[in-house]
Amino acid sequence: MELPVMNKSVPVAVLAAALLAPLLAPAAALAQEPDAPVAAPPAPVVAQPSGVTVTIPPCRLAEHAGIDEADAATAGQLVCAEIMHAGALQGSRYRVSLGKLGSVVILSVAREGDTLGSTVESREVRLQGVEEVAVAAPRIADSIVHGTPMRETEKVDNLVGEETRQPKSKPGKVHFGIGLLGMTPPLDRGLGPAPGGILDLHYETGSGTFEIGGSLRFGAGQTSQDSPQMGFFLFSIGGRYFTSDTDFSPYVGGGLSWGYLQLKVPDEGFDGDNSGLGAFVDAGLEIMRTHRTHLSLGARLDLPFFALNNHGVGIYNATTGTTTAAGANNLYYAPLSLEMRLTF
């Protein structure tokens, strides 16, 4: 093919411009376009024991078996955002994990070391549902970033999961009892008991071998004109232990009491009373324990921490018209009671 013959009359500069124009046009067009966006800096590169380098973000979602992918991704974003907001140190890496235990969601965050998958420090919280991640995220982020225990992040409006669970307790029963009693005078001054009543309220453990509670005892009277006259009001708190869990069981018990005691012995010119603290011990037998209503037969010995003060002026002899001086100024009186009690 023959090349065209160049006209000698055409200047060399014009000819060169014509030949270079197709080459210079794309460059000129590129020069007129706006600047391209600057790429984001690469994520940290972590060296692995195998010698391979892996690019790892500062916070990432790891294991989340049993959790919906969309829920897990959102939960990871929430926790990672709170970690960054809490002021995570540059170069630190955090791993967010989610797991399930029945209906409970376990959220955990670990701060990794130089090796991928290692754990330098971790925090964990149990949630009643994945929705509670929104409440737990600021707490677990603050705890892992600043190294504080999770309990120090608790507030009245951010409790989650098992922190609000009602703790279980062993089963038991509350019983109410009523009964009758007879309180004896000092044994060297007679045996005629003063009648009284019992009101009892106690809690029985599930095993039925122990009960704790309180009782109110009150009464007054004498068996004859010449026998000692007594009055009493006792409030006591204590417990009883049953030696068996069968239908019939002996029991022993004891406790503390506060009460008022009054004793009048006509033939000695003693008329005293006092009040204060004391202790008591009791023992007996309870029957029909496998039924709704129990029957107890027992005895109780009260041991006051005080003596009765005598207010009597003496013994008046109507025949002679004289008064004999009263006996002891005070008398220690530890009353013994026999009782029968129904428990419902």
Side-chain angles (χ1 to χ4, degrees):
M1 180 179 64
E2 295 184 359
L3 296 174
V5 179
M6 183 168 52
N7 190 343
K8 294 181 180 181
S9 63
V10 178
V12 176
V14 175
L15 180 61
L19 294 175
L20 293 177
L23 299 177
L24 295 176
L30 290 175
Q32 296 176 359
E33 293 181 356
D35 295 338
V38 180
V45 177
V46 180
Q48 299 302 301
S50 60
V52 179
T53 58
V54 180
T55 301
I56 302 297
C59 181
R60 73 184 193 279
L61 175 65
E63 301 85 1
H64 51 278
I67 308 297
D68 180 77
E69 287 292 336
D71 291 339
T74 303
Q77 293 173 2
L78 288 173
V79 176
C80 287
E82 292 295 340
I83 290 176
M84 297 300 107
H85 180 73
L89 296 177
Q90 186 176 4
S92 298
R93 294 192 315 278
Y94 298 90
R95 183 177 70 249
V96 180
S97 302
L98 294 166
K100 290 201 71 177
L101 183 63
S103 61
V104 176
V105 175
I106 302 175
L107 170 65
S108 60
V109 177
R111 181 166 63 87
E112 296 184 332
D114 296 333
T115 303
L116 180 64
S118 63
T119 300
V120 176
E121 191 175 7
S122 65
R123 295 290 186 274
E124 180 180 291
V125 63
R126 299 186 179 186
L127 313 174
Q128 293 298 329
V130 72
E131 298 85 359
E132 287 191 326
V133 170
V135 180
R139 292 182 51 192
I140 200 168
D142 180 73
S143 178
I144 192 69
V145 170
H146 299 106
T148 57
M150 281 293 296
R151 63 178 179 274
E152 293 186 7
T153 65
E154 293 180 0
K155 296 181 180 179
V156 295
D157 59 350
N158 67 359
L159 299 179
V160 294
E162 292 193 347
E163 295 171 339
T164 61
R165 183 180 68 88
Q166 181 69 29
K168 295 183 178 180
S169 59
K170 294 183 178 180
K173 299 178 181 179
V174 176
H175 293 283
F176 173 74
I178 59 174
L180 298 174
L181 66 87
M183 179 176 288
T184 63
L187 298 181
D188 59 346
R189 291 169 171 81
L191 296 176
I198 302 172
L199 298 177
D200 192 13
L201 183 66
H202 64 264
Y203 173 82
E204 183 182 79
T205 61
S207 62
T209 57
F210 190 74
E211 67 180 31
I212 57 175
S215 68
L216 188 65
R217 294 163 174 255
F218 51 90
Q222 63 185 137
T223 56
S224 67
Q225 185 176 0
D226 296 330
S227 63
Q229 179 181 346
M230 291 158 289
F232 56 92
F233 180 89
L234 297 169
F235 173 73
S236 57
I237 297 177
R240 294 187 182 98
Y241 172 74
F242 295 86
T243 61
S244 171
D245 58 0
T246 59
D247 205 33
F248 300 83
S249 176
Y251 68 85
V252 293
L256 295 175
S257 65
W258 178 91
Y260 168 81
L261 295 175
Q262 185 268 338
L263 175 65
K264 183 176 182 180
V265 186
D267 59 356
E268 295 185 10
F270 184 87
D271 185 2
D273 63 358
N274 206 347
S275 62
L277 294 175
F280 72 91
V281 292
D282 64 352
L285 176 69
E286 187 170 84
I287 62 177
M288 301 174 61
R289 301 189 67 231
T290 58
H291 296 72
R292 185 178 298 273
T293 302
H294 310 168
L295 176 63
S296 299
L297 303 173
R300 164 169 158 161
L301 177 64
D302 282 276
L303 303 169
F305 299 157
F306 56 88
L308 303 184
N309 300 319
N310 186 15
H311 307 298
V313 296
I315 304 172
Y316 176 74
N317 190 323
T319 303
T320 62
T322 60
T323 300
T324 304
N329 290 328
N330 54 64
L331 174 68
Y332 183 77
Y333 173 38
L336 175 67
S337 303
L338 302 177
E339 63 183 49
M340 177 181 292
R341 185 178 67 252
L342 282 176
T343 301
F344 303 92

